[in-house]
Amino acid sequence: YERLSWLVTALGRWSVGAVRTLFVRTLHFPPTVTLVTMRGLIATDDEMRTGLSYAMLAPEAAPAEVRGESLVNLGRFEKALDRAFSMPGARAVALLIDSPGGSPAQSSLLHRKLLALRRRHPRVKLLAFVEDSAASGGYYIACAADEIVADANSIVGSIGVISRGFGFVKSLKKKGVERRVHAAGDSKSGLDPYLPMRSADLARQRRLLKELHANFIGAVQAGRKGRLKRDEAALLCYNSTEPRLFASPGRRTLARMAQRGDGLFDGSVYSGAVAQALGLVDGVGEMSTELQRRYGR
């Protein structure tokens, strides 16, 4: 009797498990929502190795990105994203984003990876949730989602590209140091911080920035197709600048500003509430509450 009882119990457990697996695989019940959190600077691990000496000297004072604790790149997230979309019974993937941006290439690679997974798993919805910020590259990634939900006080936008640097020409001259560079190719030594800036080098740099910016804009327009409010963004941009002669712009002025993407593609950042009004995000809310409302979990 004991063996028979054990056999019946084991068979019952197996049957329950089999029925549960059948429901999950065929009826997608109960709904499964997987979570992937992208928090930190968007950069490859190699890019941060320049800060290793600093981290070794004072590891407790080194930024988290230098210590490698919070980096976002394709190498770190590719497998996690594959698992999230391939989970049996998955109805949605919740992508929690908290990033100020970073590498244009890594932002693009993650954006394209998410689009590829959406095509491969058409039944799985991708929902992006913004915590503190989805700015620049962070917003680039978010635009791969079906929907974007942000907190009312999240920082959203910054659709632009920036290049920073310093010039040490006069400082070297005062110290009696002469910079010597030999290069094959007129563009090879462009924007050397120890050499005077040439107009041709600046023109090439601006061309490169425009190319990257155009790619960023294209990704946003494709992801937010039909949802961006160009006129509202242009008007907000007009009213946010210094006082003008006229309180409101004329139709031609507003149309010209909207066509340029003023307020959207000029690097402007907004709170989550205003971003919703401009079509940069789909809703204002918090991840746990929103998932509970949609999927009951």
Side-chain angles (χ1 to χ4, degrees):
Y1 290 103
E2 291 181 0
R3 291 183 178 179
L4 181 60
S5 178
W6 176 85
L7 182 61
V8 171
T9 303
L11 184 60
R13 290 177 179 175
W14 179 87
S15 301
V16 171
V19 171
R20 180 179 298 174
T21 302
L22 180 64
F23 267 78
V24 169
R25 292 183 180 275
T26 59
L27 302 179
H28 303 289
F29 182 85
T32 299
V33 179
T34 55
L35 171 64
V36 178
T37 301
M38 293 185 177
R39 180 176 284 112
L41 186 67
I42 303 172
T44 63
D45 294 83
D46 290 339
E47 286 182 85
M48 305 311 298
R49 287 178 182 172
T50 54
L52 280 179
S53 58
Y54 174 61
M56 290 176 181
L57 291 173
E60 70 285 347
E65 290 82 4
V66 173
R67 298 195 300 267
E69 294 177 3
S70 53
L71 285 179
V72 177
N73 56 57
L74 182 62
R76 289 194 174 200
F77 282 90
E78 186 170 22
K79 291 183 179 179
L81 291 172
D82 287 333
R83 287 195 300 267
F85 276 86
S86 302
M87 188 73 67
R91 290 274 298 279
V93 173
L95 183 63
L96 185 62
I97 299 176
D98 185 3
S99 173
S103 164
Q106 289 300 316
S107 302
S108 176
L109 287 169
L110 284 165
H111 177 266
R112 292 172 62 184
K113 174 67 177 180
L114 290 167
L115 292 180
L117 287 171
R118 282 183 57 192
R119 289 191 295 269
R120 196 182 310 162
H121 304 275
R123 294 185 178 182
V124 181
K125 197 167 188 178
L126 177 60
L127 303 173
F129 294 91
V130 182
E131 281 197 337
D132 289 326
S133 66
S136 195
Y139 186 70
Y140 198 143
I141 295 171
C143 285
D146 293 285
E147 296 180 42
I148 305 175
V149 179
D151 183 78
N153 294 307
S154 298
I155 301 300
V156 179
S158 189
I159 304 169
V161 184
I162 189 170
S163 174
R164 297 185 180 95
F166 296 95
F168 300 96
V169 179
K170 292 183 179 180
S171 177
L172 288 180
K173 188 175 182 180
K174 286 181 180 180
K175 295 181 180 297
V177 179
E178 181 184 1
R179 174 73 162 172
R180 297 175 181 176
V181 177
H182 306 282
D186 294 337
S187 303
K188 192 63 178 177
S189 62
L191 298 181
D192 189 314
Y194 302 104
L195 293 176
M197 180 180 291
R198 300 177 299 181
S199 59
D201 293 334
L202 182 58
R204 294 186 187 100
Q205 182 71 358
R206 286 176 174 170
R207 173 190 54 77
L208 176 60
L209 294 177
K210 287 181 179 179
E211 291 173 3
L212 298 176
H213 193 200
N215 293 337
F216 193 172
I217 293 173
V220 174
Q221 289 178 326
R224 306 298 300 166
K225 189 174 182 180
R227 287 175 281 187
L228 295 175
K229 310 291 178 59
R230 284 178 172 265
D231 290 343
E232 288 84 341
L235 182 60
L236 181 58
C237 179
Y238 182 92
N239 293 331
S240 299
T241 55
E242 297 181 2
R244 300 173 182 267
L245 181 61
F246 301 102
S248 58
R251 290 183 179 180
R252 291 185 179 179
T253 301
L254 185 62
R256 186 167 58 251
M257 294 178 66
Q259 185 176 11
R260 286 199 307 258
D262 291 2
L264 287 177
F265 307 135
D266 58 356
S268 297
V269 294
Y270 301 101
S271 67
V274 176
Q276 181 186 19
L278 300 182
L280 292 169
V281 302
D282 299 286
V284 172
E286 180 266 335
M287 183 180 68
S288 298
T289 304
E290 189 67 21
L291 293 179
Q292 179 67 31
R293 182 182 69 82
R294 295 184 183 217
Y295 302 104
R297 57 192 312 152

